[in-house]
């Protein structure tokens, strides 16, 4: 019997089919459409590590992404600062969306959303450095359009609770910002209706990829990637595929899964091979 493409499931803890183990079904779902591939960085292309500067892209993954970019549109959509993620990925011709999609550049593309919030972000950064002073292990990472406060190396539970309290106190004093979460991280960003999902939809429009001949794929591992999975799911049945990198299964609006960045690299390699074979 032919391998039937699994139906995308809604946000639930249901196990999502593996886009790698069931690659034939994934390819059948893609059919003769051309993919447009959107890639998150941390936890998707590189394993989660102790500090952001230690998340180095493996050369083999870089070369798979480079090969894929020769076969279909590829964009990296990251919470990191635009320049930081572009430097880590190190492929000049790609499209990059940094600060969770607030800062976009690529061939013929340049957009910055929320420049009028930079003063509030500067004020938040200064307030955070005062409030977090003395909490061992905390790391504040300023991006152009967001501030990440990392708790991975902060003692639990008191230290982590103190960091959360400080972040929420600063946010309460700066209502033009909002708090989002992730893996051992609190982030402050402009309180605007903008996120990775809206950035992906906007890129599809601007790149002329919004039609039915293109199937957008989004690979991500974290809370903020759920915005992109939901945005693709909202385009309608079969108009986008979310692939959540996760182990064990967690609630997700993605229809597919991969276990870890190693599987993500293997999937991208398989996809590139499949596209090259025509
Ligand atoms: O959207 P992404 O590309 O996945 O970026 C999300 C955040 O990733 C980074 O933090 C995460 O990865 C670190 C390195 O593995 C890890 O130490 C940290 O606990 C994770 O939250 C990055 O530093 C953030 O700026 C991004 O927002």
């Amino acid at each position: 019997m032919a391998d039937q493409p699994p139906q995308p499931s809604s946000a639930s803890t249901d196990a999502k089919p593996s886009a790698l183990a069931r690659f034939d079904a994934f390819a059948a779902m893609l059919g003769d459409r051309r993919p447009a591939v959107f890639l998150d960085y941390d936890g998707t292309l590189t394993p989660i590590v102790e500090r952001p500067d230690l998340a180095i892209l493996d050369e083999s993954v870089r070369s798979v992404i480079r090969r894929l970019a020769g076969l279909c549109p590829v964009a990296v959509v990251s919470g990191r600062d635009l320049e930081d993620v572009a430097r880590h990925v190190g492929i000049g011709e790609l499209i990059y969306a940094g600060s969770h999609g607030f800062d976009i550049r690529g061939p013929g593309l340049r957009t910055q959303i929320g420049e009028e919030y930079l003063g509030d972000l500067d004020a938040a950064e200064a307030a955070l450095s005062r409030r977090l002073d003395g909490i061992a292990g905390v790391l504040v990472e300023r991006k152009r359009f967001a501030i990440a406060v990392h708790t991975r190396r902060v003692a639990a539970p008191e230290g982590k609770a103190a960091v959360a309290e400080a972040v929420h106190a600063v946010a309460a004093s700066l209502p033009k910002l909002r708090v989002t979460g992730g893996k051992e991280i609190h982030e402050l960003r402009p309180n605007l209706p903008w996120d990775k999902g809206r950035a992906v939809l906007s890129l599809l429009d601007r790149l002329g990829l919004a039609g039915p001949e293109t199937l957008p794929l989004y690979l991500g591992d974290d809370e903020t990637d759920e915005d992109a999975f939901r945005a693709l799911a909202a385009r309608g049945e079969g108009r986008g595929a979310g692939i959540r990198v996760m182990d064990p299964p967690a609630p997700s609006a993605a229809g597919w899964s991969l276990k870890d960045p190693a599987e993500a690299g293997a999937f991208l390699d398989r996809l590139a091979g499949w596209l090259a074979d025509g």
Side-chain angles (χ1 to χ4, degrees):
M1 196 172 102
D3 200 7
Q4 294 299 313
Q7 296 305 304
S9 43
S10 58
S12 71
T13 48
D14 298 350
K16 315 284 177 176
S18 165
L20 183 62
R22 299 205 60 195
F23 186 80
D24 290 345
F26 191 88
M29 180 269 303
L30 198 48
D32 56 7
R33 292 176 293 176
R34 187 176 182 232
V37 180
F38 296 88
L39 300 167
D40 167 56
Y41 186 78
D42 292 277
T44 297
L45 297 179
T46 59
I48 292 293
V49 289
E50 202 64 8
R51 293 197 329 254
D53 56 309
L54 300 177
I56 304 300
L57 188 67
D58 196 90
E59 196 49 51
S60 65
V61 180
R62 179 173 295 111
S63 87
V64 169
I65 297 171
R66 194 177 276 120
R67 186 153 62 98
L68 194 59
L71 296 160
C72 69
V74 175
V76 175
V77 183
S78 174
R80 285 181 180 247
D81 187 73
L82 176 63
E83 298 309 327
D84 182 35
V85 72
R87 189 166 39 80
H88 273 81
V89 175
I91 303 175
E93 62 275 19
L94 290 192
I95 297 157
Y96 292 97
S99 295
H100 298 287
F102 282 78
D103 202 359
I104 296 176
R105 81 162 147 77
L109 286 174
R110 189 73 185 107
T111 318
Q112 297 196 311
I113 309 259
E115 285 188 281
E116 65 281 23
Y117 291 72
L118 291 175
D120 292 80
L121 286 163
D122 292 344
E125 188 182 7
L128 283 168
S129 92
R130 284 193 301 273
R131 283 183 171 265
L132 297 171
D133 189 35
I135 301 182
V138 70
L139 174 69
V140 177
E141 179 193 1
R142 174 66 195 267
K143 290 85 75 80
R144 182 154 167 84
F145 293 102
I147 303 168
V149 181
H150 293 268
T151 57
R152 191 164 293 281
R153 296 188 301 158
V154 176
E158 289 85 2
K160 289 186 199 284
V163 173
E165 192 185 325
V167 170
H168 285 276
V170 169
S173 71
L174 292 163
K176 285 171 74 181
L177 305 181
R178 71 181 168 108
V179 183
T180 57
K183 293 180 173 170
E184 292 285 346
I185 197 171
H186 305 281
E187 297 213 56
L188 285 169
R189 58 159 92 174
N191 188 8
L192 281 171
W194 196 256
D195 52 37
K196 287 183 169 192
R198 286 165 166 110
V200 167
L201 296 183
S202 146
L203 280 170
L204 289 172
D205 274 340
R206 292 164 67 195
L207 297 168
L209 300 171
E213 62 287 351
T214 301
L215 184 74
L217 314 181
Y218 186 99
L219 275 71
D221 73 308
D222 208 348
E223 279 179 36
T224 63
D225 300 308
E226 290 294 328
D227 293 322
F229 299 143
R230 281 190 289 271
L232 291 188
R235 298 182 87 221
E237 182 79 34
R239 296 294 313 281
I243 304 174
R244 173 110 182 205
V245 179
M246 59 178 168
D247 189 21
S252 177
W256 299 80
S257 69
L258 291 165
K259 276 205 171 73
D260 52 30
E263 280 205 3
F267 167 78
L268 295 174
D269 186 48
R270 189 91 191 264
L271 181 65
W274 185 78
L275 289 170
D277 288 347

